[in-house]
mmCIF file of all heavy atoms in Angstrom:
data_model
loop_
_atom_site.group_PDB
_atom_site.id
_atom_site.type_symbol
_atom_site.label_atom_id
_atom_site.label_comp_id
_atom_site.label_asym_id
_atom_site.label_seq_id
_atom_site.Cartn_x
_atom_site.Cartn_y
_atom_site.Cartn_z
ATOM 1 N N VAL B 405 114.901 -27.356 -149.624
ATOM 2 C CA VAL B 405 114.753 -28.809 -149.769
ATOM 3 C C VAL B 405 113.422 -29.027 -150.460
ATOM 4 O O VAL B 405 112.379 -28.595 -149.971
ATOM 5 C CB VAL B 405 114.777 -29.512 -148.387
ATOM 6 C CG1 VAL B 405 114.577 -31.006 -148.541
ATOM 7 C CG2 VAL B 405 116.102 -29.223 -147.685
ATOM 8 N N SER B 474 127.968 -18.394 -183.620
ATOM 9 C CA SER B 474 126.759 -18.151 -182.830
ATOM 10 C C SER B 474 127.093 -18.068 -181.342
ATOM 11 O O SER B 474 126.449 -17.334 -180.596
ATOM 12 C CB SER B 474 125.673 -19.181 -183.131
ATOM 13 O OG SER B 474 125.872 -20.322 -182.378
ATOM 14 N N ILE B 506 139.054 -19.439 -161.625
ATOM 15 C CA ILE B 506 137.592 -19.280 -161.694
ATOM 16 C C ILE B 506 136.934 -20.293 -160.757
ATOM 17 O O ILE B 506 136.021 -19.978 -160.013
ATOM 18 C CB ILE B 506 137.105 -19.417 -163.154
ATOM 19 C CG1 ILE B 506 137.583 -18.199 -163.959
ATOM 20 C CG2 ILE B 506 135.579 -19.554 -163.211
ATOM 21 C CD1 ILE B 506 137.385 -18.299 -165.456
ATOM 22 N N SER B 535 122.351 -29.362 -171.562
ATOM 23 C CA SER B 535 122.124 -27.969 -171.984
ATOM 24 C C SER B 535 120.938 -27.354 -171.253
ATOM 25 O O SER B 535 120.974 -26.182 -170.869
ATOM 26 C CB SER B 535 121.862 -27.909 -173.491
ATOM 27 O OG SER B 535 122.938 -28.437 -174.199
ATOM 28 N N GLY B 561 149.673 -46.223 -149.712
ATOM 29 C CA GLY B 561 150.980 -46.776 -150.060
ATOM 30 C C GLY B 561 151.806 -45.754 -150.804
ATOM 31 O O GLY B 561 151.641 -44.536 -150.617
ATOM 32 N N GLY B 634 147.292 -15.586 -156.444
ATOM 33 C CA GLY B 634 147.731 -14.732 -157.551
ATOM 34 C C GLY B 634 147.059 -15.023 -158.883
ATOM 35 O O GLY B 634 147.313 -14.348 -159.874
ATOM 36 N N ASP B 657 135.333 -34.682 -141.796
ATOM 37 C CA ASP B 657 135.588 -34.820 -140.355
ATOM 38 C C ASP B 657 135.949 -36.275 -140.029
ATOM 39 O O ASP B 657 135.441 -37.201 -140.667
ATOM 40 C CB ASP B 657 134.335 -34.452 -139.553
ATOM 41 C CG ASP B 657 133.912 -33.009 -139.782
ATOM 42 O OD1 ASP B 657 134.794 -32.181 -140.081
ATOM 43 O OD2 ASP B 657 132.705 -32.724 -139.667
ATOM 44 N N GLY B 749 160.180 -35.461 -171.282
ATOM 45 C CA GLY B 749 161.293 -36.148 -170.625
ATOM 46 C C GLY B 749 161.636 -37.458 -171.337
ATOM 47 O O GLY B 749 162.808 -37.852 -171.405
ATOM 48 N N MET B 774 153.981 -21.499 -171.617
ATOM 49 C CA MET B 774 154.947 -22.027 -170.631
ATOM 50 C C MET B 774 155.839 -23.069 -171.297
ATOM 51 O O MET B 774 157.058 -23.088 -171.109
ATOM 52 C CB MET B 774 154.209 -22.656 -169.440
ATOM 53 C CG MET B 774 153.678 -21.653 -168.457
ATOM 54 S SD MET B 774 153.160 -22.447 -166.900
ATOM 55 C CE MET B 774 151.597 -23.123 -167.342
ATOM 56 N N PHE B 809 140.191 -44.479 -190.658
ATOM 57 C CA PHE B 809 139.391 -45.704 -190.600
ATOM 58 C C PHE B 809 140.205 -46.857 -190.011
ATOM 59 O O PHE B 809 141.252 -47.225 -190.536
ATOM 60 C CB PHE B 809 138.926 -46.031 -192.021
ATOM 61 C CG PHE B 809 138.022 -47.226 -192.118
ATOM 62 C CD1 PHE B 809 136.757 -47.210 -191.539
ATOM 63 C CD2 PHE B 809 138.436 -48.362 -192.792
ATOM 64 C CE1 PHE B 809 135.919 -48.310 -191.643
ATOM 65 C CE2 PHE B 809 137.609 -49.470 -192.894
ATOM 66 C CZ PHE B 809 136.348 -49.447 -192.314
ATOM 67 N N ARG B 819 138.237 -41.260 -173.342
ATOM 68 C CA ARG B 819 137.191 -42.172 -173.832
ATOM 69 C C ARG B 819 137.685 -43.004 -175.001
ATOM 70 O O ARG B 819 138.214 -42.464 -175.970
ATOM 71 C CB ARG B 819 135.940 -41.389 -174.249
ATOM 72 C CG ARG B 819 135.239 -40.872 -173.036
ATOM 73 C CD ARG B 819 133.875 -40.293 -173.300
ATOM 74 N NE ARG B 819 133.316 -39.952 -172.010
ATOM 75 C CZ ARG B 819 132.716 -38.807 -171.706
ATOM 76 N NH1 ARG B 819 132.550 -37.897 -172.625
ATOM 77 N NH2 ARG B 819 132.274 -38.604 -170.488
ATOM 78 N N PHE B 854 161.909 -46.338 -170.432
ATOM 79 C CA PHE B 854 162.583 -45.102 -170.843
ATOM 80 C C PHE B 854 162.903 -44.185 -169.665
ATOM 81 O O PHE B 854 163.337 -43.060 -169.866
ATOM 82 C CB PHE B 854 161.713 -44.350 -171.852
ATOM 83 C CG PHE B 854 161.601 -45.044 -173.181
ATOM 84 C CD1 PHE B 854 160.520 -45.873 -173.451
ATOM 85 C CD2 PHE B 854 162.581 -44.889 -174.153
ATOM 86 C CE1 PHE B 854 160.414 -46.516 -174.676
ATOM 87 C CE2 PHE B 854 162.480 -45.531 -175.377
ATOM 88 C CZ PHE B 854 161.389 -46.355 -175.646
ATOM 89 N N LEU B 855 162.635 -44.665 -168.450
ATOM 90 C CA LEU B 855 162.840 -43.760 -167.304
ATOM 91 C C LEU B 855 164.237 -43.927 -166.716
ATOM 92 O O LEU B 855 164.814 -45.002 -166.761
ATOM 93 C CB LEU B 855 161.766 -44.012 -166.243
ATOM 94 C CG LEU B 855 160.335 -43.676 -166.678
ATOM 95 C CD1 LEU B 855 159.333 -44.054 -165.597
ATOM 96 C CD2 LEU B 855 160.177 -42.197 -167.024
#
Side-chain angles (χ1 to χ4, degrees):
Chain B
V405 178
S474 84
I506 291 170
S535 301
D657 299 332
M774 282 193 282
F809 183 66
R819 288 190 175 133
F854 291 96
L855 295 176

